[in-house]
Amino acid sequence: MTEKSFTNLSEERKSILRHNLKTVLDTVDGRATVMAATKTVPPEEINFAIAEGLTDLGENRVQEFNAKYEAIDRDKARLHFIGTLQPNKVKYLIGRVCLIHSLDSLKLATEISRRSEGKDLITEALCEVNIGEEAAKGGIPESDVRDFLCAVRDLPGLRVRGLMVIGPHCPNPEDYRPFFARTKSLQDRLAAEGFFGEEPLLSMGMSDNYALAVEYGATIVRPGTAIFGTRPYPVA
């Protein structure tokens, strides 16, 4: 990719993106990987952010991931998948993403394993935890996470590296503290049992709480709006 990938951006827009990204990177200060959530963000803005130092980005929807894939500067950035994933869409991600953040069922784990083994690959993933026990959200209930990890532990082609959490929405960022603390405690207990290998990953924290998440040991944070601004999301 060359600078032609984002020459249509106005200087004003470039300045905003540059400032926002620098603010996030300075806040995190190397304590965690900044993985920008890029839902609805056009490739030229993503490529500009990559040129400004963004190293990791995550998509929420397989269809959008496929549409952007060839246009993204993949030589300089790692691609993650962070949204709800249906087993029949796994085939589009194997060998194309460095990490799937939303492993939340045995059926999904089995399909990732099958597809990965078929390509002689090992796909890394994070177990999504429903830390707030919200009926409308995916993820494994906190009390079931250990049993789930035992069930998927020996699947070929799949390596679970840690946990991912999306806490309940809290108007006051300080209210996320108990959820982050519980997730970190769970992560530490499971890591001590050897579930995640030598360098466990903990993906938590978005635009309104990523700095707090780093305080609680997040190794990956997922800001989107903090970098790209408020975006109009299409109605599903």
Side-chain angles (χ1 to χ4, degrees):
M1 296 280 180
T2 68
E3 192 172 354
K4 292 180 180 178
S5 301
F6 46 80
T7 50
N8 290 329
L9 289 181
S10 69
E11 291 304 315
E12 179 182 12
R13 184 59 179 157
K14 289 179 182 179
S15 179
I16 291 171
L17 292 173
R18 183 182 294 115
H19 174 269
N20 289 351
L21 179 60
K22 185 178 186 304
T23 297
V24 171
L25 291 174
D26 286 351
T27 299
V28 173
D29 194 26
R31 293 172 293 166
T33 296
V34 173
M35 188 232 67
T38 52
K39 182 178 179 180
T40 76
V41 179
E44 60 182 358
E45 292 199 3
I46 296 171
N47 286 333
F48 179 76
I50 292 170
E52 291 295 317
L54 178 66
T55 59
D56 293 75
L57 55 100
E59 284 290 339
N60 289 73
R61 297 177 178 176
V62 173
Q63 184 176 1
E64 186 175 353
F65 173 89
N66 285 337
K68 293 179 181 178
Y69 184 76
E70 294 297 336
I72 298 300
D73 190 351
R74 303 189 308 278
D75 291 337
K76 297 179 181 178
R78 293 178 291 268
L79 276 60
H80 303 234
F81 190 79
I82 60 176
T84 300
L85 180 58
Q86 300 298 324
N88 65 345
K89 299 292 181 67
V90 167
K91 60 187 176 183
Y92 298 109
L93 302 180
I94 300 304
R96 303 171 86 188
V97 298
C98 70
L99 189 64
I100 294 172
H101 291 230
S102 46
L103 178 62
D104 64 354
S105 73
L106 182 57
K107 184 176 181 180
L108 177 58
T110 302
E111 183 64 7
I112 293 172
S113 171
R114 185 179 76 85
R115 291 282 182 178
S116 300
E117 193 176 21
K119 291 189 173 184
D120 197 26
L121 296 172
I122 295 176
T123 298
E124 297 193 336
L126 303 178
C127 173
E128 181 177 353
V129 182
N130 188 342
I131 199 67
E133 299 180 359
E134 297 172 275
K137 284 186 179 178
I140 306 294
E142 182 180 0
S143 60
D144 296 341
V145 170
R146 188 183 185 281
D147 287 344
F148 174 74
L149 292 174
C150 287
V152 304
R153 183 174 215 166
D154 295 324
L155 287 175
L158 173 66
R159 180 180 296 145
V160 180
R161 294 288 313 281
L163 304 180
M164 185 274 265
V165 67
I166 303 173
H169 176 69
C170 300
N172 182 350
E174 289 295 310
D175 293 337
Y176 288 106
R177 287 187 182 275
F179 299 108
F180 288 167
R182 279 168 51 195
T183 304
K184 175 59 174 169
S185 177
L186 177 64
Q187 167 95 347
D188 288 345
R189 295 196 305 272
L190 295 168
E193 293 188 57
F195 281 106
F196 306 136
E198 294 183 1
E199 296 183 5
L201 301 178
L202 179 54
S203 172
M204 66 181 185
M206 296 186 287
S207 287
D208 62 340
N209 56 24
Y210 69 91
L212 189 65
V214 172
E215 289 184 28
Y216 282 90
T219 63
I220 302 172
V221 293
R222 310 185 305 272
T225 300
I227 296 173
F228 299 104
T230 302
R231 290 151 285 160
Y233 293 147
V235 177

